[in-house]
Amino acid sequence: MTATKDKAYADRLLEDVFSAYFKARKHKRNTSSQLEFEMDLESNLVRLYEELSKGSYKPGPSYCFIVDHPVKREVFASQFRDRVVHHLLYDYINPIFEKRFIHDCYSCREGKGTSAGIDRIEHHIRSCTQNYTTPAWILKLDLRGYFMSIDKTILYNIVSTTLCKHWSKNPSTSQTPCSDPDFIDYLVRSIIFNDPRENVIIRNHASKWDGLPLSKSLLHSHTDKGLPIGDLTSQLFSNIYMDVFDEYVKRSLRIRHYGRYVDDFYVVHPSKGYLTELIGVFRRFLEERLGLTLHPGKIYLQLCRKGVPYLGAFIMPHRRYPSRRSVTQFHKAMSEICSELQRATPSSGVLCRVRASINSYLGYLGHFRSHRIVCKRVDNSLITKYFIYSPSLNKVIIKTKPPTNNHNIKKSGNIIQSA
């Protein structure tokens, strides 16, 4: 390699590191890890670049904590400098794998997500039932402790084999970091085979792990298995790992009405017997090829017309409702908000925070038939004292001059406004 190419390679890598930094800080501004990194931003980025170029980079300690909503989970969060490297690798290899993923994979992909996943399962049901005019069944399955069961060696072999095939078919005419097999392999190995439990920083008391199954804890998984929930690369690797199963379902079994979101997948078919047989077929393939286990308590087989819960929605013929868990969380959040507003006169900052919280729930519930649920909670004296609810906009607005008592409040149609 000539000196000119060496300099061009180095300049491109430094540029990519800076680009990855700006992506990593998006939606992460003012976090302690990000602020600490930015206190000496230029030096930290240059130091990270030098470690990457010399092959001396190693991931640092992770932060481990428990989140309770929407379900209890153990999260391993990498330090900000490691998140920069995650974005760097993601930018390099995601375009390669994105072309391979099936259309009906909706997790952690641009232009996809839960809303698209809900729309798609409804499309599959309508297509298979000819718009609910003929009967069909839906089989919905889940995996036990998916992230904690991912075999690192199998994952690395899948990633490595796919990348090698891509580079052999698409040889690069220029030497750049994104087309350097040795450099990308170094990043892949550094991230996949990193053990986040080494020097981990625990941010919760041990009692917070009470009630969390061992199969969902990376702290109790085997050394050669498990990916940390919370990293961008883990989201990508989880799709790459299950893409083997997606290809088997779509290409080998030629199943048309199939979709997946992370480890939650479904098949729609007119025959109940066929779906029953599929359970055993899926179980054997997942265990033999990927070392994964179907969750025995989450096998859902039901007539489509009776409804199906999926991604926070309950889908019925020609209509969809929010799931019970989502409605319960909304009621709980609104009760907490009312209690907070009742304790003392809220400041403008508190009102802005409360408004954001309420509108977040309203935005989610707006995708479903939930008018009665929303009106029941928003039509509350404490809420109407400080906010105006607009059904047409599906959001609440802070009143410029909150009334001093509830007698100054009146309702006009469905829009709550001050007298």
Side-chain angles (χ1 to χ4, degrees), residues 77-224:
S78 297
Q79 295 184 10
F80 185 77
R81 71 187 297 272
D82 295 323
R83 290 178 179 271
V84 174
V85 179
H86 295 168
H87 277 271
L88 182 69
L89 178 62
Y90 183 90
D91 289 344
Y92 286 164
I93 69 174
N94 181 61
I96 298 173
F97 286 96
E98 182 65 30
K99 296 176 182 179
R100 295 178 51 85
F101 293 150
I102 66 170
H103 177 76
D104 288 303
C105 167
Y106 296 95
S107 54
C108 311
R109 296 175 66 192
E110 187 174 352
K112 302 288 185 175
T114 56
S115 295
I118 294 170
D119 290 340
R120 190 61 176 171
I121 190 175
E122 190 171 39
H123 165 79
H124 281 304
I125 292 173
R126 286 176 177 270
S127 176
C128 190
T129 62
Q130 300 181 48
N131 203 22
Y132 291 102
T133 59
T134 60
W137 295 76
I138 183 165
L139 171 67
K140 193 163 70 73
L141 301 169
D142 203 343
L143 298 175
R144 172 179 281 170
Y146 173 51
F147 275 87
M148 311 310 157
S149 301
I150 293 176
D151 189 297
K152 295 182 179 182
T153 302
I154 295 177
L155 172 62
Y156 171 75
N157 290 336
I158 295 171
V159 174
S160 178
T161 301
T162 304
L163 291 176
C164 288
K165 288 181 179 179
H166 170 79
W167 286 320
S168 64
K169 293 180 180 179
N170 304 277
S172 177
T173 57
S174 60
Q175 186 69 18
T176 59
C178 64
S179 61
D180 184 352
D182 293 334
F183 179 66
I184 291 182
D185 183 71
Y186 160 66
L187 290 181
V188 170
R189 282 182 173 274
S190 298
I191 294 174
I192 289 181
F193 292 108
N194 172 56
D195 188 352
R197 297 172 298 182
E198 294 181 0
N199 302 319
V200 63
I201 301 172
I202 306 292
R203 285 190 163 177
N204 288 129
H205 190 271
S207 60
K208 289 287 289 183
W209 272 258
D210 293 344
L212 183 73
L214 296 181
S215 62
K216 293 187 176 183
S217 173
L218 191 60
L219 292 172
H220 297 89
S221 64
H222 295 289
T223 305
D224 58 345

Side-chain angles (χ1 to χ4, degrees), residues 22 24 40 59 66 71 86 99 164 167 194 223 242 247 249 253 290 308 318 377 406 413:
F22 285 111
D40 195 5
I66 294 290
V71 295
H86 295 168
K99 296 176 182 179
C164 288
W167 286 320
N194 172 56
T223 305
M242 280 298 287
E247 291 289 329
V249 173
L253 299 182
L290 300 173
V308 55
H318 310 294
R377 296 312 304 245
N406 295 335

Side-chain angles (χ1 to χ4, degrees), residues 141 245 249 253 265 267 278-286:
L141 301 169
F245 179 69
V249 173
L253 299 182
F265 52 96
V267 176
L278 274 185
I279 298 174
V281 174
F282 287 171
R283 179 182 287 112
R284 285 190 296 273
F285 181 89
L286 290 167

Side-chain angles (χ1 to χ4, degrees), residues 5 8 38 104 108 136 157 194 224 285 288 367 371-372 415:
K5 288 185 177 180
E38 283 198 347
D104 288 303
C108 311
N157 290 336
N194 172 56
D224 58 345
F285 181 89
E288 294 173 3
H367 293 286
H371 180 72
R372 291 184 180 179
I415 301 180

